[in-house]
Amino acid sequence: MSGAMRETGWAKINLALHVRARRDDGYHEIETLFAFVDGGDAIEAEVADADRLSIDGEFAEGLDAGADNLVLRAVALLRRIHGGDRVPPLALRLTKALPVAAGIGGGSADAAATARLVRQHFLPEVGEAELMRDVAPLGADVAACVASRTCLGTGIGERVQAAPELRLTGTPVLLVNPRAPVATGPVFAAWDGFDRGPLLVGAEVRAQLFAARNDLQRAAVAQCPAVIDILTELGALKPWLARMSGSGATCFALFDAAAERDAAAATLAASHPHWWQMTGALR
């Protein structure tokens, strides 16, 4: 796409994910700390005669490029809200670098990236908060993915608050996935229903992250036992925090130095060459 408009669907991680209650509508009340890595899927777009989507990249296989794809749904939703005269038809290309059903944002990040692209080029007067409200119906964490910076999510994840006290930008991070998809719905459905307490956020960042947890890990491990293998291997590489993200199976490790992260990545690549990895830093 020569001269195309471009955006990135930044990989999302949940530094912590506390499930507090199961709601009557089938969703769950959660408290989560979202953070974002400086790598992800690529979105390109050009004005066209009709909306269409092509998908390539390492994890493109099996993805539906039809109207139900969140990328096209994001365009259609913003056009419906702001008018067809403002949001023209687009030919879009999604290069899928992140594994699917992996607990790192995936389709939500791609929808959010598409929304940011549309705002930048066609709806410049729309502020970030308004854009987040516009696209929130597309998914529980789409609003957080619009911001793509460390923030606190409550409700089902759609209520987003800034968390400037965390000061984690630039932290070296390693993501690892066993190349096994984990379905979000069954993981939440298998939550044991026990409220283990609130998520605390404040100036003592590391202490509070150490005390936090991911309440979906047990259910995810039942679907994908390799999560335990990854966390065990990561823990042996001495990050200051290692945890599963979202509903799994991707796990992350945070390090004090990029050299430590890179050494850990090299060790895992040698011992588990079939595992997917991504190195980066928190945005």
Side-chain angles (χ1 to χ4, degrees):
M1 283 187 170
S2 177
M5 300 167 273
R6 293 178 172 83
E7 254 294 353
T8 301
W10 309 107
K12 176 269 303 177
I13 61 174
N14 300 85
L15 297 172
L17 199 168
H18 292 199
V19 184
R20 305 300 308 281
R22 184 177 286 113
R23 305 188 339 180
D24 292 340
D25 61 5
Y27 288 95
H28 294 72
E29 290 287 329
I30 67 169
E31 297 168 354
T32 187
L33 279 175
F34 293 111
F36 293 84
V37 183
D38 60 356
D41 295 336
I43 296 282
E44 296 178 281
E46 292 180 338
V47 175
D49 55 355
D51 288 341
R52 58 182 180 271
L53 174 65
S54 63
I55 307 176
D56 60 19
E58 182 178 0
F59 294 100
E61 185 177 353
L63 294 183
D64 182 5
D68 284 340
N69 189 286
L70 282 170
V71 167
L72 290 176
R73 288 176 60 193
V75 174
L77 177 59
L78 291 174
R79 182 179 296 125
R80 186 161 64 248
I81 293 171
H82 296 283
D85 57 328
R86 306 289 311 285
V87 182
L90 296 173
L92 296 123
R93 175 183 178 184
L94 167 61
T95 300
K96 195 70 185 159
L98 300 177
V100 178
I104 51 175
S108 295
D110 298 337
T114 304
R116 290 195 304 271
L117 183 151
V118 169
R119 178 185 62 164
Q120 178 183 352
H121 294 279
F122 306 109
L123 303 169
E125 79 288 353
V126 174
E128 182 180 80
E130 182 180 356
L131 188 68
M132 292 166 73
R133 289 192 298 271
D134 285 349
V135 298
L138 295 175
D141 54 3
V142 176
C145 289
V146 167
S148 280
R149 57 181 177 270
T150 304
C151 55
L152 174 67
T154 56
I156 62 171
E158 87 288 7
R159 294 201 296 267
V160 178
Q161 302 170 234
E165 65 273 27
L166 291 180
R167 294 188 293 275
L168 291 169
T169 300
T171 299
V173 59
L174 171 63
L175 303 185
V176 184
N177 182 281
R179 296 183 183 271
V182 173
T184 299
V187 169
F188 269 101
W191 174 60
D192 62 12
F194 183 68
D195 180 1
R196 292 172 173 82
L199 175 62
L200 302 176
V201 181
E204 297 296 326
V205 177
R206 293 199 182 194
Q208 288 165 1
L209 286 177
F210 294 154
R213 58 191 189 269
N214 185 332
D215 287 334
L216 298 179
Q217 180 175 313
R218 181 180 300 178
V221 167
Q223 274 199 46
C224 183
V227 167
I228 293 298
D229 298 332
I230 292 174
L231 289 173
T232 299
E233 295 275 355
L234 286 175
L237 297 170
K238 307 302 183 186
W240 63 262
L241 182 70
R243 184 165 285 152
M244 188 186 82
S245 178
S247 56
T250 305
C251 301
F252 65 88
L254 303 182
F255 294 87
D256 286 313
E260 296 174 350
R261 174 204 62 202
D262 294 344
T267 298
L268 284 185
S271 59
H272 298 279
H274 58 291
W275 286 353
W276 173 85
Q277 291 189 40
M278 185 172 81
T279 57
L282 296 186
R283 287 168 47 80

